PDB file of all heavy atoms in Angstrom:
ATOM      1  N   ASP B 116      82.754  80.780  70.199  1.00  0.00           N
ATOM      2  CA  ASP B 116      83.966  81.193  70.918  1.00  0.00           C
ATOM      3  C   ASP B 116      83.775  81.128  72.418  1.00  0.00           C
ATOM      4  O   ASP B 116      84.623  80.586  73.151  1.00  0.00           O
ATOM      5  CB  ASP B 116      84.335  82.637  70.532  1.00  0.00           C
ATOM      6  CG  ASP B 116      85.027  82.692  69.190  1.00  0.00           C
ATOM      7  OD1 ASP B 116      85.230  81.616  68.596  1.00  0.00           O
ATOM      8  OD2 ASP B 116      85.345  83.807  68.751  1.00  0.00           O
ATOM      9  N   ASP B 117      82.660  81.706  72.901  1.00  0.00           N
ATOM     10  CA  ASP B 117      82.387  81.695  74.331  1.00  0.00           C
ATOM     11  C   ASP B 117      82.257  80.271  74.851  1.00  0.00           C
ATOM     12  O   ASP B 117      82.730  79.934  75.926  1.00  0.00           O
ATOM     13  CB  ASP B 117      81.087  82.454  74.637  1.00  0.00           C
ATOM     14  CG  ASP B 117      81.302  83.963  74.632  1.00  0.00           C
ATOM     15  OD1 ASP B 117      82.485  84.384  74.587  1.00  0.00           O
ATOM     16  OD2 ASP B 117      80.303  84.707  74.654  1.00  0.00           O
ATOM     17  N   ARG B 118      81.589  79.437  74.035  1.00  0.00           N
ATOM     18  CA  ARG B 118      81.368  78.057  74.451  1.00  0.00           C
ATOM     19  C   ARG B 118      82.693  77.331  74.648  1.00  0.00           C
ATOM     20  O   ARG B 118      82.918  76.649  75.650  1.00  0.00           O
ATOM     21  CB  ARG B 118      80.518  77.318  73.419  1.00  0.00           C
ATOM     22  CG  ARG B 118      80.110  75.922  73.802  1.00  0.00           C
ATOM     23  CD  ARG B 118      78.899  75.452  73.024  1.00  0.00           C
ATOM     24  NE  ARG B 118      79.103  75.662  71.593  1.00  0.00           N
ATOM     25  CZ  ARG B 118      78.215  76.230  70.780  1.00  0.00           C
ATOM     26  NH1 ARG B 118      77.063  76.664  71.252  1.00  0.00           N
ATOM     27  NH2 ARG B 118      78.473  76.393  69.505  1.00  0.00           N
ATOM     28  N   ALA B 119      83.619  77.549  73.695  1.00  0.00           N
ATOM     29  CA  ALA B 119      84.935  76.915  73.789  1.00  0.00           C
ATOM     30  C   ALA B 119      85.668  77.388  75.038  1.00  0.00           C
ATOM     31  O   ALA B 119      86.253  76.604  75.794  1.00  0.00           O
ATOM     32  CB  ALA B 119      85.758  77.237  72.536  1.00  0.00           C
ATOM     33  N   LEU B 120      85.609  78.706  75.268  1.00  0.00           N
ATOM     34  CA  LEU B 120      86.290  79.306  76.408  1.00  0.00           C
ATOM     35  C   LEU B 120      85.712  78.791  77.718  1.00  0.00           C
ATOM     36  O   LEU B 120      86.434  78.404  78.636  1.00  0.00           O
ATOM     37  CB  LEU B 120      86.098  80.827  76.314  1.00  0.00           C
ATOM     38  CG  LEU B 120      87.169  81.733  76.881  1.00  0.00           C
ATOM     39  CD1 LEU B 120      88.525  81.347  76.312  1.00  0.00           C
ATOM     40  CD2 LEU B 120      86.849  83.170  76.529  1.00  0.00           C
ATOM     41  N   ILE B 121      84.387  78.767  77.805  1.00  0.00           N
ATOM     42  CA  ILE B 121      83.721  78.304  79.034  1.00  0.00           C
ATOM     43  C   ILE B 121      84.090  76.844  79.299  1.00  0.00           C
ATOM     44  O   ILE B 121      84.433  76.471  80.428  1.00  0.00           O
ATOM     45  CB  ILE B 121      82.184  78.471  78.938  1.00  0.00           C
ATOM     46  CG1 ILE B 121      81.824  79.957  78.951  1.00  0.00           C
ATOM     47  CG2 ILE B 121      81.491  77.743  80.063  1.00  0.00           C
ATOM     48  CD1 ILE B 121      80.357  80.247  78.682  1.00  0.00           C
ATOM     49  N   ASN B 122      84.045  76.028  78.237  1.00  0.00           N
ATOM     50  CA  ASN B 122      84.407  74.617  78.410  1.00  0.00           C
ATOM     51  C   ASN B 122      85.823  74.465  78.903  1.00  0.00           C
ATOM     52  O   ASN B 122      86.119  73.624  79.756  1.00  0.00           O
ATOM     53  CB  ASN B 122      84.195  73.853  77.089  1.00  0.00           C
ATOM     54  CG  ASN B 122      82.760  73.375  76.976  1.00  0.00           C
ATOM     55  OD1 ASN B 122      82.161  72.959  77.965  1.00  0.00           O
ATOM     56  ND2 ASN B 122      82.208  73.445  75.776  1.00  0.00           N
ATOM     57  N   GLN B 123      86.739  75.291  78.365  1.00  0.00           N
ATOM     58  CA  GLN B 123      88.132  75.232  78.800  1.00  0.00           C
ATOM     59  C   GLN B 123      88.251  75.628  80.266  1.00  0.00           C
ATOM     60  O   GLN B 123      88.895  74.946  81.061  1.00  0.00           O
ATOM     61  CB  GLN B 123      88.962  76.182  77.916  1.00  0.00           C
ATOM     62  CG  GLN B 123      90.432  76.242  78.325  1.00  0.00           C
ATOM     63  CD  GLN B 123      91.121  77.475  77.741  1.00  0.00           C
ATOM     64  OE1 GLN B 123      90.675  78.064  76.745  1.00  0.00           O
ATOM     65  NE2 GLN B 123      92.202  77.900  78.386  1.00  0.00           N
ATOM     66  N   PHE B 124      87.576  76.748  80.646  1.00  0.00           N
ATOM     67  CA  PHE B 124      87.692  77.254  82.017  1.00  0.00           C
ATOM     68  C   PHE B 124      87.061  76.302  83.034  1.00  0.00           C
ATOM     69  O   PHE B 124      87.482  76.237  84.180  1.00  0.00           O
ATOM     70  CB  PHE B 124      87.049  78.653  82.121  1.00  0.00           C
ATOM     71  CG  PHE B 124      87.969  79.768  81.692  1.00  0.00           C
ATOM     72  CD1 PHE B 124      88.799  79.635  80.584  1.00  0.00           C
ATOM     73  CD2 PHE B 124      88.011  80.963  82.396  1.00  0.00           C
ATOM     74  CE1 PHE B 124      89.638  80.653  80.190  1.00  0.00           C
ATOM     75  CE2 PHE B 124      88.858  81.985  82.004  1.00  0.00           C
ATOM     76  CZ  PHE B 124      89.667  81.837  80.908  1.00  0.00           C
ATOM     77  N   LEU B 125      86.027  75.566  82.588  1.00  0.00           N
ATOM     78  CA  LEU B 125      85.377  74.628  83.512  1.00  0.00           C
ATOM     79  C   LEU B 125      86.301  73.477  83.898  1.00  0.00           C
ATOM     80  O   LEU B 125      86.066  72.770  84.863  1.00  0.00           O
ATOM     81  CB  LEU B 125      84.081  74.068  82.887  1.00  0.00           C
ATOM     82  CG  LEU B 125      82.839  74.949  82.957  1.00  0.00           C
ATOM     83  CD1 LEU B 125      81.725  74.407  82.073  1.00  0.00           C
ATOM     84  CD2 LEU B 125      82.332  75.102  84.398  1.00  0.00           C
ATOM     85  N   GLN B 126      87.373  73.287  83.092  1.00  0.00           N
ATOM     86  CA  GLN B 126      88.297  72.167  83.354  1.00  0.00           C
ATOM     87  C   GLN B 126      89.268  72.435  84.493  1.00  0.00           C
ATOM     88  O   GLN B 126      89.842  71.511  85.043  1.00  0.00           O
ATOM     89  CB  GLN B 126      89.165  71.870  82.105  1.00  0.00           C
ATOM     90  CG  GLN B 126      88.400  71.665  80.821  1.00  0.00           C
ATOM     91  CD  GLN B 126      87.518  70.439  80.882  1.00  0.00           C
ATOM     92  OE1 GLN B 126      87.911  69.424  81.397  1.00  0.00           O
ATOM     93  NE2 GLN B 126      86.303  70.578  80.380  1.00  0.00           N
ATOM     94  N   TYR B 127      89.513  73.736  84.806  1.00  0.00           N
ATOM     95  CA  TYR B 127      90.554  74.009  85.801  1.00  0.00           C
ATOM     96  C   TYR B 127      90.125  73.494  87.165  1.00  0.00           C
ATOM     97  O   TYR B 127      88.962  73.578  87.537  1.00  0.00           O
ATOM     98  CB  TYR B 127      90.860  75.518  85.862  1.00  0.00           C
ATOM     99  CG  TYR B 127      91.512  75.995  84.593  1.00  0.00           C
ATOM    100  CD1 TYR B 127      90.838  76.829  83.716  1.00  0.00           C
ATOM    101  CD2 TYR B 127      92.791  75.567  84.250  1.00  0.00           C
ATOM    102  CE1 TYR B 127      91.418  77.243  82.522  1.00  0.00           C
ATOM    103  CE2 TYR B 127      93.383  75.972  83.066  1.00  0.00           C
ATOM    104  CZ  TYR B 127      92.699  76.802  82.197  1.00  0.00           C
ATOM    105  OH  TYR B 127      93.273  77.193  81.038  1.00  0.00           O
TER     106      TYR B 127
END
Side-chain angles (χ1 to χ4, degrees):
Chain B
D116 281 358
D117 281 350
R118 186 159 50 228
L120 210 52
I121 291 172
N122 274 322
Q123 178 198 337
F124 277 40
L125 280 169
Q126 308 296 319
Y127 293 110

